[in-house]
């Protein structure tokens, strides 16, 4: 795929999201009738991730519109639609396992408040933390959980997350293009500090589920930090 980091042109990303939507409509849904057998720790973990995916994205879409780039704004709208689709898939997976979704969780409430503190760039920086964690989490579920339906759902979501990270990375790099080296260094340090806090929460909330998938808290933290290191370097390098 042609990169957009130098020009700020997000046409290629818009086409990418449109193509992904077409593929989803072609594939259809997993076979929910097969049912799912999930460990209680994984059920609790998926319930919390489902809440996080279920946001309406209104604030993000409004900020993207006000940024003045209609192509980027439309790509963000399709990104939000994919996140809603993730919430639907997780909800159906929980239903197939005989479990309910939950209305909310304190971690999601804190995360949403952080995202909305300032402008678009701050929201994307906080959102990126969730995206890099999601890469490690859904990969662990896809590869380590024995239930085939759960593995399929996690694989579908992971395929989208693998595109979401570079999409947000491109916009963030473009937004930092005129920032001084000092501003970049300060932003990087704060970004890493936030990631440390997020990883501590993930270890607390999802450690048992990850262990059931054969992934330790340390292993997930190492994977997420490695991915994030690359993102920070690409965003902050002139």
């Amino acid at each position: 795929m042609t990169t957009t980091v130098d020009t700020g042109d997000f046409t290629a990303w818009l086409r990418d999201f449109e193509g992904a939507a077409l593929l989803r409509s072609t594939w259809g849904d997993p076979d929910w009738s097969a049912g799912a057998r999930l460990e209680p720790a994984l059920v609790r973990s998926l319930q919390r991730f489902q809440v996080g995916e279920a946001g309406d994205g209104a604030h993000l879409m409004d900020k993207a519109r006000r940024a003045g780039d209609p192509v980027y704004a439309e790509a963000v709208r399709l990104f939000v639609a994919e996140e809603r689709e993730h919430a639907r898939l997780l909800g159906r997976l929980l239903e197939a396992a005989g479990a309910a979704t939950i209305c909310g969780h304190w971690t999601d409430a804190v995360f949403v408040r952080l995202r909305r503190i300032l402008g678009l760039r701050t929201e994307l920086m906080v959102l990126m933390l969730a995206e890099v964690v999601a890469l490690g989490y859904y990969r662990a579920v896809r590869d380590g959980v024995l239930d085939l339906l759960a593995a399929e759902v996690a694989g579908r979501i992971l395929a989208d997350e693998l595109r979401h990270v570079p999409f947000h990375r491109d916009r963030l790099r473009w937004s930092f293009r005129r920032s001084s080296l000092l501003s970049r260094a300060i932003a990087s340090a704060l970004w890493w500090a936030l990631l440390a806090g997020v990883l501590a929460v993930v270890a607390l909330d999802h450690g048992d589920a990850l262990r059931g998938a054969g992934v330790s808290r340390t292993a997930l933290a190492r994977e997420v930090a490695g991915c994030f290191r690359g993102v920070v370097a690409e965003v902050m390098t002139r």
Side-chain angles (χ1 to χ4, degrees), residues 2 8 27 30 70 73 93 116 120 156 223-224 228 231 237:
T2 302
W27 289 339
L93 174 60
R116 295 177 181 176
L120 177 61
R156 290 189 181 209
E223 178 181 352
V224 171
F228 188 67
V231 168
T237 301

Side-chain angles (χ1 to χ4, degrees), residues 7-78:
T7 66
D9 178 10
F10 284 82
T11 302
W13 277 117
L14 177 57
R15 299 293 174 260
D16 182 83
F17 279 107
E18 290 172 339
L22 180 60
L23 280 176
R24 280 194 299 275
S25 66
T26 302
W27 289 339
D29 264 15
D31 181 10
W32 304 116
S33 66
R37 298 184 64 181
L38 307 178
E39 294 295 325
L42 181 59
V43 168
R44 292 191 296 272
S45 177
L46 290 173
Q47 286 172 328
R48 293 166 187 176
F49 263 83
Q50 196 274 339
V51 168
E53 301 274 15
D56 63 9
H59 284 80
L60 176 60
M61 289 189 290
D62 182 59
K63 290 175 184 177
R65 283 192 296 269
R66 287 190 278 114
D69 181 348
V71 173
Y72 174 69
E74 179 61 11
V76 168
R77 186 187 70 79
L78 293 177

Side-chain angles (χ1 to χ4, degrees), residues 136 140 199 202-203 206-224:
L199 287 175
V202 170
H206 305 281
D208 291 342
L210 290 166
R211 189 184 308 111
V215 177
S216 69
R217 293 173 172 88
T218 302
L220 180 74
R222 188 181 300 114
E223 178 181 352
V224 171

